[in-house]
């Protein structure tokens, strides 16, 4: 498994991370087997959030590991989503982190992300929360999720810590971050700038992007890989996969890894064999032609 640094930090992470949202409800043995497989594959980066399974995902993860294993892992969690609203208040950020630390049975998070933008955010409150969490040794690095460049800029102007990550949705069937960059000065729907140039902003400011739901179409509609509703992209995935001797899922991840922004896909499978298959994406570097073939097969037209 190849590795990369997150943002401007010296935090070395695998170029594929494991999302633990679906760990809630797993038995201790099954969760431990999944974690062990991930570690064996070189995927020692585990992505959490306080809302995953209403906290049960973090508990299931912690119950499955020995305390001695913690220092061999990189743990990331997210906060800010509450029942019916978003909350970046100082009190909520701090209490959310303390809750995650308790559920994960750890003294610190390697990375904390603000999960979704809070329209009522007061940057000074966020700054106070970040500084306290850092000074108390409870969080080592900070970032955001689903934020546009100006929201990130507003925060970065106020907080003392470097924001090293922005976790956003990206897959072969969810490419709005890429589409408008290929349809400049055009009137078609793909030319609409829906995010404020997240990719370009992140590259200019050395912020690492993480891709959530890399196998999903739409927001929560389901997986496109192996889905008969998407014959063209699946046929092309199979064709390219056969060239490299890997699975279609590995090629879907390799497509994200091929982007020069250095995007880290966060995969959420809780199937050991599928994770092993996906991890082989780290060994594949698609050609420029293959990357565009897949992009077009996903239903995108080039100008």
């Amino acid at each position: 498994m190849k590795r990369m640094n997150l943002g401007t930090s010296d935090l070395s992470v695998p170029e594929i991370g494991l999302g633990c949202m679906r760990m809630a409800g797993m038995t201790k043995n099954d969760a431990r087997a999944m974690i062990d497989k991930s570690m064996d594959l070189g995927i020692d980066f585990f992505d959490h959030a306080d809302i995953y399974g209403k906290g049960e995902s973090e508990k299931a993860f912690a119950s499955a590991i020995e305390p001695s294993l913690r220092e061999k892992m990189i743990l990331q969690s997210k906060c800010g989503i509450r029942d019916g609203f978003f909350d970046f208040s100082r009190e909520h950020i701090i209490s959310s982190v303390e809750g995650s630390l308790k559920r994960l049975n750890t003294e610190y998070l390697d990375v904390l992300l603000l999960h979704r933008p809070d329209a009522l955010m007061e940057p000074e409150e966020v700054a106070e929360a970040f500084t306290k969490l850092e000074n108390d040794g409870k969080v080592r690095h900070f970032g955001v999720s689903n934020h546009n460049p100006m929201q990130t800029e507003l925060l970065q102007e106020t907080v003392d810590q470097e924001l090293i990550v922005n976790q956003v949705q990206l897959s072969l069937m969810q490419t709005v971050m890429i589409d408008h960059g290929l349809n400049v000065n055009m009137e078609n729907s793909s030319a609409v700038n829906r995010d404020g140039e997240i990719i370009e902003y992140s590259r200019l400011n050395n912020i690492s992007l993480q891709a959530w739901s890399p196998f999903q179409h739409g927001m929560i509609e389901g997986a496109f890989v192996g889905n008969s509703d998407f014959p063209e992209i699946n046929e092309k995935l199979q064709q390219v996969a056969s060239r490299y001797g890997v699975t279609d899922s590995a090629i879907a991840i390799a497509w994200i890894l091929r982007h020069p922004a250095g995007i880290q896909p966060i995969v959420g499978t809780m199937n050991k064999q599928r994770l092993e298959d996906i991890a082989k994406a780290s060994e594949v570097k698609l050609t420029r032609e293959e990357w565009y073939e897949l992009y077009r097969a996903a239903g995108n037209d080039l100008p």
Side-chain angles (χ1 to χ4, degrees):
M1 175 62 57
K2 295 175 185 174
R3 298 186 75 85
M4 57 183 280
N5 278 17
L6 283 186
T8 56
S9 76
D10 59 359
L11 186 61
S12 175
V13 301
E15 63 177 4
I16 299 171
L18 184 67
C20 298
M21 183 175 71
R22 295 181 176 90
M23 196 164 281
M26 293 181 71
T27 67
K28 179 178 179 178
N29 288 341
D30 287 347
R32 179 56 188 262
M34 192 68 211
I35 294 167
D36 287 345
K37 169 58 73 174
S38 185
M39 296 288 285
D40 289 344
L41 293 169
I43 301 175
D44 56 5
F45 182 94
F46 299 94
D47 176 70
H48 296 271
D50 57 358
I51 65 165
Y52 291 167
K54 297 182 178 179
E56 292 302 315
S57 295
E58 291 178 328
K59 288 181 181 179
F61 182 90
S63 70
I65 66 172
E66 301 296 330
S68 60
L69 196 57
R70 169 64 181 97
E71 293 305 314
K72 300 177 181 179
M73 297 174 161
I74 302 159
L75 299 186
Q76 171 177 282
S77 197
K78 301 181 285 293
C79 72
I81 298 179
R82 302 187 69 175
D83 189 11
F85 64 105
F86 304 134
D87 189 349
F88 285 0
S89 66
R90 177 185 185 278
E91 292 76 13
H92 182 68
I93 293 171
I94 292 172
S95 66
S96 292
V97 169
E98 290 174 345
S100 287
L101 294 179
K102 182 177 180 179
R103 289 187 294 271
L104 288 167
N105 192 27
T106 184
E107 294 181 353
Y108 68 95
L109 294 175
D110 293 284
V111 187
L112 172 70
L113 306 185
L114 299 178
H115 208 159
R116 281 200 175 271
D118 175 14
L120 303 182
M121 176 189 72
E122 297 284 357
E124 293 78 12
E125 285 198 54
V126 177
E128 289 177 10
F130 281 10
T131 295
K132 178 170 176 53
L133 290 168
E134 182 180 50
N135 289 344
D136 290 348
K138 294 179 178 180
V139 178
R140 296 185 174 179
H141 302 280
F142 298 84
V144 295
S145 181
N146 304 299
H147 280 56
N148 68 35
M150 291 309 294
Q151 290 166 335
T152 307
E153 190 78 9
L154 178 61
L155 271 171
Q156 189 62 85
E157 178 71 17
T158 308
V159 303
D160 292 331
Q161 300 77 13
E162 288 289 330
L163 300 175
I164 64 170
V165 171
N166 190 1
Q167 187 177 119
V168 293
Q169 186 177 15
L170 176 66
S171 76
L172 259 168
M173 296 298 295
Q174 183 74 13
T175 57
V176 293
M177 289 196 302
I178 294 169
D179 299 340
H180 67 262
L182 294 173
N183 291 268
V184 175
N185 198 33
M186 298 184 69
E187 294 183 354
N188 58 37
S189 61
S190 295
V192 177
N193 183 345
R194 303 178 189 277
D195 61 35
E197 279 93 19
I198 288 177
I199 288 179
E200 290 78 8
Y201 175 83
S202 298
R203 294 180 74 178
L204 285 168
N205 290 276
N206 297 310
I207 296 173
S208 292
L209 293 175
Q210 295 174 341
W212 60 265
S213 290
F215 301 111
Q216 297 283 316
H217 65 95
M219 185 174 179
I220 55 173
E221 281 79 1
F224 65 86
V225 177
N227 188 331
S228 61
D229 290 339
F230 305 98
E232 188 174 354
I233 185 59
N234 279 286
E235 180 180 357
K236 182 59 65 175
L237 283 169
Q238 291 287 351
Q239 288 176 3
V240 178
S242 66
R243 295 175 199 162
Y244 290 94
V246 297
T247 64
D248 49 4
S249 293
I251 295 301
I253 295 300
W255 184 83
I256 295 173
L257 293 176
R258 179 62 176 83
H259 197 284
I263 302 166
Q264 182 192 36
I266 305 297
V267 302
T269 184
M270 290 292 112
N271 180 292
K272 291 183 295 181
Q273 184 58 57
R274 186 154 189 263
L275 184 62
E276 184 172 346
D277 293 339
I278 290 169
K280 293 177 182 177
S282 186
E283 305 166 8
V284 175
K285 183 174 182 179
L286 299 176
T287 66
R288 180 176 263 101
E289 291 81 1
E290 288 167 338
W291 192 92
Y292 277 103
E293 285 176 1
L294 288 161
Y295 180 76
R296 296 199 313 274
N300 299 298
D301 294 324
L302 295 181

